């Protein structure tokens, strides 16, 4: 297929070529993959500034997207790729093959750095946000080999979605601490102050006044952001909140548990050891069921299932994608409705050809890189998530370039529960993220 680059794509490709260390914050559907591959073709086959390239990506994206994109576009002819996937023996064999680009899933990065000689001079980190924890093994693995890498590109659609603190690890794997400091402690002391604490124990930090603007200024020379609505003909999107309510008895049980952290439910004892466990269980109760001891499922209500039934009936055969979070959500939805999981490449293909009227998907397994816009335009959040990153990425599976219909995103929320807190938190995080995106927005032609 012939590649007719949008102006913003040509700008982004040139940005990669001109910046050996850079980060592209591009919305889903804007072509981060082809933009990057176009730059790699120049670097590997024209200027010879790159020799051996490693692409680190989410597993499903590593399995399909990158190699398919190379084979799709005429202008990438000559660029060869090998997937470093499968068993250890298969990965070793793949590394022995001659290619321009080697693609590995991020879970195998630790294995790669510990078990094979490092001989990559260029690294592409697809979904840089997955390196937001400085304590993760993948961060430590990349940090160890980073001095041996001459050119590195970070790609993400959701920069620092939850906290400004997330930016330090993401930027460190790019510039080794040049802009935000070499140590997380120094970064924290410089830009944050303690927030929630119990005497000497500090549970969280909040940004100092003016910290966000100062941080954005420091990273603005190597980062550019682009929003799809600024450059593409995006479909209309309607966000809808569908409220359900528990009856007095159910609400009383919910409220009592939220206050006392213990409850007798259906003859079983339910308890929460700490605030995090309480939040998790309250979210489950809002959905209608909760795990008790030994993961026994305790039923509370079917309000969300009833609302989901109404939405499915109203769709009248129009394809619908349902996002769930807990496994008992999955089981209860399967028990009540004829649904099919979106899990394998075959499932994705069948969805995109309209063969699946009602599909079930988990945001954590479908957050990055999957193109689902051809199969439908209606998404239902049966269970909410605290993660703005997963929330946005899931929505963007349908709301993206190529979608021919108005996208409707339904949120089934139980009134008077933690569901409303999660919705407000997502909206607040979105405001914070938008400030970062605006601070490093690409200014094309001016």
């Amino acid at each position: 297929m012939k590649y007719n680059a949008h102006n913003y794509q040509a700008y982004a490709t040139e940005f990669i070529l001109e910046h050996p260390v850079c980060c592209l914050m591009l919305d889903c559907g804007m072509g981060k993959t082809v933009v990057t591959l176009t730059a790699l073709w120049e670097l590997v086959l024209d200027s010879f500034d790159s020799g051996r390239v490693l692409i680190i990506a989410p597993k499903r994206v590593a399995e399909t997207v990158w190699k398919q994109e190379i084979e799709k576009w005429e202008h990438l002819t000559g660029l060869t790729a090998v997937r470093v996937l499968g068993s250890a023996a298969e990965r070793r064999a793949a590394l022995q093959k001659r290619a321009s680009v080697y693609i590995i899933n991020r879970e195998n990065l630790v294995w790669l750095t510990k078990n094979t000689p490092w001989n990559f001079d260029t690294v592409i980190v697809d979904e840089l946000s997955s390196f937001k924890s400085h304590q993760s093994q993948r961060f430590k693995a990349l940090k160890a080999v980073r001095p041996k890498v001459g050119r590195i590109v970070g790609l993400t659609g959701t920069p620092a979605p939850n906290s400004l603190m997330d930016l330090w690890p993401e930027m460190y794997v790019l510039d080794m601490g040049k802009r935000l400091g070499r140590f997380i402690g120094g970064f924290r002391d410089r830009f944050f102050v303690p927030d929630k604490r119990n005497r000497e124990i500090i549970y969280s930090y909040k940004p100092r006044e003016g910290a966000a603007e100062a941080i954005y200024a420091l990273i603005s020379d190597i980062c550019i952001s682009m929003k799809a609505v600024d450059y593409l003909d995006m479909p209309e999107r309607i966000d809808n909140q569908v409220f359900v309510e528990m009856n007095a008895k159910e609400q009383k049980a919910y409220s009592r548990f939220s206050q006392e952290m213990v409850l007798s439910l259906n003859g079983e004892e339910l308890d929460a050891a700490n605030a995090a466990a309480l939040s998790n269980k309250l979210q489950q109760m809002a959905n209608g069921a909760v795990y008790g001891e030994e993961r026994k499922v305790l039923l509370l209500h079917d309000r969300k299932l009833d609302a989901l039934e109404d939405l499915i009936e109203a769709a009248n055969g129009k394809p619908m994608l349902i996002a769930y979070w807990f496994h008992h959500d999955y089981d209860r939805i399967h028990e009540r409705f004829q649904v099919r999981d979106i899990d394998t490449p075959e499932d994705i293909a069948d969805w995109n050809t309209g063969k699946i009227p009602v599909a079930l998907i988990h945001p954590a397994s479908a957050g990055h890189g999957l193109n689902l816009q051809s199969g439908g335009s209606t998404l239902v959040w049966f269970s909410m998530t605290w993660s703005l990153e997963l929330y946005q990425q899931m929505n963007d599976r349908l709301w993206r370039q190529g979608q021919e219909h108005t996208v409707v995103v339904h949120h089934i929320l139980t009134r008077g529960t933690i569901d409303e807190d999660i919705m407000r938190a997502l909206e607040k995080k979105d405001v914070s993220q938008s400030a970062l995106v605006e601070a490093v927005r690409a200014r094309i032609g001016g």
Side-chain angles (χ1 to χ4, degrees), residues 61-313:
V61 178
E63 290 172 339
T64 58
V65 175
W66 283 92
K67 203 164 189 301
Q68 286 178 356
E69 287 288 298
I70 291 175
E71 296 167 354
K72 176 180 178 180
W73 301 107
E74 291 179 10
H75 74 293
L76 298 178
T77 300
L79 199 65
T80 54
V82 169
R83 299 184 185 99
V84 187
L85 305 170
S87 66
E90 290 171 327
R91 296 195 296 269
R92 290 184 189 278
L95 290 168
Q96 298 305 311
K97 297 177 181 178
R98 292 193 61 182
S100 313
V101 173
Y102 296 81
I103 308 162
I104 194 167
N105 58 308
R106 58 199 179 196
E107 292 81 5
N108 278 323
L109 179 62
V110 175
W111 170 87
L112 180 70
T113 60
K114 291 185 176 181
N115 294 279
T116 64
W118 184 266
N119 54 5
F120 299 99
D121 55 37
T122 299
V123 171
I124 310 298
V125 184
D126 190 356
E127 292 308 337
L128 182 63
S129 58
S130 65
F131 285 79
K132 65 188 175 186
S133 171
H134 70 284
Q135 297 177 321
S136 68
Q137 293 302 309
R138 69 180 65 151
F139 170 83
K140 294 175 182 177
L142 187 53
K143 178 184 177 183
V145 297
R146 177 61 186 86
K148 302 176 183 178
V149 177
R151 183 179 287 271
I152 185 166
V153 180
L155 305 174
T156 184
T158 51
N162 294 313
S163 167
L164 275 176
M165 200 79 76
D166 293 345
L167 272 179
W168 183 85
E170 296 176 23
M171 290 300 114
Y172 185 93
V173 299
L174 297 181
D175 70 0
M176 294 183 286
K178 180 178 178 181
R179 287 163 182 81
L180 300 184
R182 294 182 57 205
F183 303 101
I184 183 70
F187 174 70
R188 188 173 56 221
D189 294 342
R190 182 179 177 186
F191 295 109
F192 298 82
V193 294
D195 185 14
K196 297 178 181 178
R197 63 188 304 167
N198 182 6
R199 296 183 181 179
E200 293 82 14
I201 301 175
I202 301 172
Y203 295 107
S204 64
Y205 290 83
K206 60 183 179 181
R208 296 179 185 273
E209 186 175 352
E213 294 77 7
I215 292 170
Y216 302 157
L218 287 170
I219 66 174
S220 62
D221 65 315
I222 61 168
C223 299
I224 57 168
S225 74
M226 296 179 178
K227 300 290 290 180
V229 293
D230 294 334
Y231 300 98
L232 301 175
D233 292 328
M234 294 291 287
E236 181 184 5
R237 172 173 154 182
I238 299 172
D239 285 72
N240 181 38
Q241 295 183 1
V242 180
F243 283 99
V244 301
E245 295 188 24
M246 295 184 285
N247 63 29
K249 181 180 178 181
E250 295 157 355
Q251 187 66 55
K252 182 178 179 181
Y254 178 93
S255 299
R256 181 175 179 180
F257 184 66
S258 67
Q259 295 168 6
E260 301 178 6
M261 300 175 67
V262 292
L263 179 70
S264 178
L265 184 62
N266 301 339
E268 300 283 344
E269 289 299 315
L270 182 68
D271 66 82
N274 51 46
L278 177 64
S279 172
N280 183 278
K281 290 184 182 296
L282 288 176
Q283 189 177 353
Q284 295 179 54
M285 293 175 75
N287 291 354
V290 59
Y291 288 119
E293 293 185 2
E294 298 180 357
R295 290 184 66 81
K296 182 176 181 180
V297 178
L298 309 178
L299 299 178
L300 183 62
H301 64 82
D302 287 337
R303 302 292 184 276
K304 286 197 175 186
L305 290 171
D306 295 340
L308 180 59
E309 182 174 341
D310 291 342
L311 290 173
I312 292 174
E313 288 183 359

Side-chain angles (χ1 to χ4, degrees), residues 425-436:
L426 290 172
E427 291 167 352
K428 183 178 179 180
K429 291 174 182 177
D430 187 45
V431 171
S432 176
Q433 183 185 97
S434 296
L436 167 57

